[in-house]
Amino acid sequence: EKLGVAHLRLIVGTSMGGMHAWMWAVTHPQFMDAVLPIVCLPAEIAGRNRMQRYLITNMIRRDPEWHNGEYTQQPQSLAVATQIAFLGASGARQLYLEAPTQEAADKLLDETALRLMKATDANDFVYAWEASRGYNPSPQLPSITAVVTAINFADDDINPTTLSVFEQEVQRVPGGRAVLIPASDQTRGHRSFYVTALWKTYLEELLARSMH
C-alpha cells in the first residue's frame, strides 16, 4: 500500500521465501497472477523438519555463552548449529562428490562453519528458524485463485518425497501443478534452487499459463 502496488504479476520464493509465497497466495488470493514456491511444503512444519529446527534453536538457547540473547560475541554453539543446517540442506550425493574422503569431509564441514559464522548472528538465526511456528497454509489451499506451480527436488531431505505431502497438498490448489525434479549430478538437495537452470523452464511455463 505504501508503494502504491495494487497487483503483482508473479511471486517467487525459495525455502522460507517459498513459505512466504504460499502465505501470500492464501492471504491475498487476488493480489497476484502466479505463484512459484520452490523447496517448501504448503503444510505445517512437523516431523523431522520441526525436530531439526527445535534442535538448532535449543542448542543456541541452552549455550551458557548465549546469555539469553545478550552476548557480546557469537556463542560457539552457533558454529555447530550452522553445520547442522548446512547438512540438512545439502544433497547426500553432492556432498559425497565434493568430499569423497574422510579428510575432505571434515575439511568441508569445518570450512563451512567458518564461512557461515562470519555472516550469521545467533539471535537472527534463532528467530529465522522459529519463525515457522505459526505457518500452515494447508486449510486455505482451495481458496487460492492465482496460478501455481510448486517445485521440489527428489533429493531434498528437508522436504522428502517419502512424505507424499507435496503432491497431495498441491492437488488441493485449483489449477495447481506440482513439479518434482529428479536427483542428478546437478541437483544439490534442498539447495538445488540455486541452480536456476533446473527450474527456469517451469517458470517460463507458469508465466505463459497465467497470461490473461
Side-chain angles (χ1 to χ4, degrees), residues 7 9 32-33 147 207-212:
H7 192 79
R9 177 70 180 91
M32 74 294 294
D33 296 330
V147 181
L207 290 172
R209 192 160 59 97
S210 59
M211 288 287 291
H212 293 298

Side-chain angles (χ1 to χ4, degrees), residues 23-148:
M23 293 306 298
W24 275 80
V26 300
T27 306
H28 308 287
Q30 304 293 329
F31 191 65
M32 74 294 294
D33 296 330
V35 185
L36 186 71
I38 305 175
V39 292
C40 61
L41 301 178
E44 182 178 7
I45 303 298
R48 187 176 63 184
N49 192 339
R50 170 56 192 169
M51 293 176 190
Q52 176 177 310
R53 293 165 188 265
Y54 188 68
L55 173 64
I56 286 173
T57 56
N58 271 358
M59 179 181 298
I60 295 174
R61 287 184 180 279
R62 294 176 180 177
D63 184 349
E65 294 184 8
W66 187 61
H67 293 298
N68 199 32
E70 299 294 335
Y71 47 84
T72 56
Q73 61 182 14
Q74 299 300 328
Q76 289 301 304
S77 57
L78 180 61
V80 181
T82 58
Q83 289 174 321
I84 293 173
F86 169 74
L87 286 177
S90 302
R93 175 170 175 74
Q94 187 59 35
L95 284 179
Y96 188 79
L97 293 174
E98 293 180 15
T101 67
Q102 177 175 297
E103 292 75 14
D106 293 351
K107 181 181 178 182
L108 176 59
L109 198 57
D110 287 339
E111 290 177 346
T112 297
L114 290 174
R115 173 174 55 83
L116 294 177
M117 283 286 284
K118 293 178 181 178
T120 307
D121 174 77
N123 282 340
D124 286 347
F125 203 65
V126 169
Y127 182 87
W129 284 94
E130 289 187 342
S132 61
R133 283 180 297 179
Y135 170 78
N136 187 15
S138 178
Q140 297 172 276
L141 292 180
S143 69
I144 293 177
T145 57
V147 181
V148 176

Side-chain angles (χ1 to χ4, degrees), residues 14 36 38-39 89 91 94 98 151-153 155 181-182 184-203:
T14 62
L36 186 71
I38 305 175
V39 292
Q94 187 59 35
E98 293 180 15
I151 298 175
N152 272 359
F153 296 86
D155 57 350
I181 297 178
S184 68
D185 288 348
Q186 284 71 51
T187 56
R188 302 289 189 275
H190 187 74
R191 296 187 298 129
S192 295
F193 64 83
Y194 287 113
V195 188
T196 55
L198 293 171
W199 52 269
K200 176 184 176 182
T201 56
Y202 299 106
L203 169 59

